[in-house]
Amino acid sequence: MEKITKTTGMKNRKIVLSTLWIFVTFNWLYCDVMTLMDPIQLKQVLTNTAGAIQMTEGFLLGAAIVMEIPIALILLSRILKYRANRWTNIIAGIIMMAVQIMSLFVGTPSLSYIFYSAVEISCTIFIVWYAWSWRKTEDVPDSNI
């Protein structure tokens, strides 16, 4: 019975982390879609600006790399072993939280952007805490997962 509990705990921790990354990724993406519905924001996009930032190829590549982090964590949270999984989630969560906080200081954010940011920052804080509180005692050999 104890082995079943340990196996379930490990699977659940990986599944919960992966699900949290899905949730926060959808929030980031839908926030970006909603931004295009705001005439002021749409005008900036059409003129290749984001606040005071020029949307160059380099900027777009950087944005793509940043958005690939949570997308990759959906998969990595399920397949990485305990130590790598825990630290990857902690580091990625901190990076994405910092990016979202910094984005609030680019231009004047809309109310919907502030709302989505609050959800996204809260979720990444929870991801960091959840991964930080993950203990090896929940770990079982990966062959049993």
Side-chain angles (χ1 to χ4, degrees):
M1 184 67 160
E2 184 179 336
K3 185 168 181 125
I4 292 170
T5 303
K6 283 184 178 181
T7 303
T8 303
M10 179 65 163
K11 281 185 179 180
N12 286 343
R13 185 71 61 150
K14 287 182 169 190
I15 291 168
V16 168
L17 285 166
S18 179
T19 303
L20 287 167
W21 284 111
I22 292 169
F23 173 79
V24 77
T25 300
F26 271 111
N27 274 273
W28 274 308
L29 294 174
Y30 197 72
C31 181
D32 289 345
V33 168
M34 284 198 61
T35 297
L36 298 176
M37 295 178 197
D38 179 341
I40 296 167
Q41 300 296 327
L42 181 58
K43 185 176 179 181
Q44 287 184 2
V45 170
L46 293 173
T47 59
N48 286 335
T49 61
I53 299 172
Q54 277 298 118
M55 287 193 283
T56 63
E57 282 291 317
F59 173 84
L60 294 174
L61 176 60
I65 291 168
V66 167
M67 278 312 299
E68 190 60 34
I69 294 170
I71 293 168
L73 263 292
I74 295 167
L75 174 63
L76 293 176
S77 292
R78 289 187 179 244
I79 64 172
L80 290 176
K81 292 182 181 181
Y82 164 76
R83 186 176 174 90
N85 203 331
R86 183 172 179 258
W87 282 106
T88 301
N89 275 279
I90 291 168
I91 293 166
I94 290 169
I95 290 169
M96 295 309 296
M97 179 179 25
V99 166
Q100 194 58 43
I101 290 169
M102 288 186 299
S103 77
L104 287 168
F105 299 99
V106 176
T108 305
S110 65
L111 291 177
S112 63
Y113 191 86
I114 293 169
F115 169 76
Y116 276 111
S117 292
V119 170
E120 295 154 6
I121 292 165
S122 298
C123 188
T124 52
I125 288 170
F126 183 76
I127 288 170
V128 170
W129 172 82
Y130 197 68
W132 183 263
S133 65
W134 188 359
R135 297 294 167 242
K136 181 74 171 161
T137 56
E138 297 177 35
D139 198 9
V140 293
D142 284 330
S143 60
N144 293 340
I145 297 177

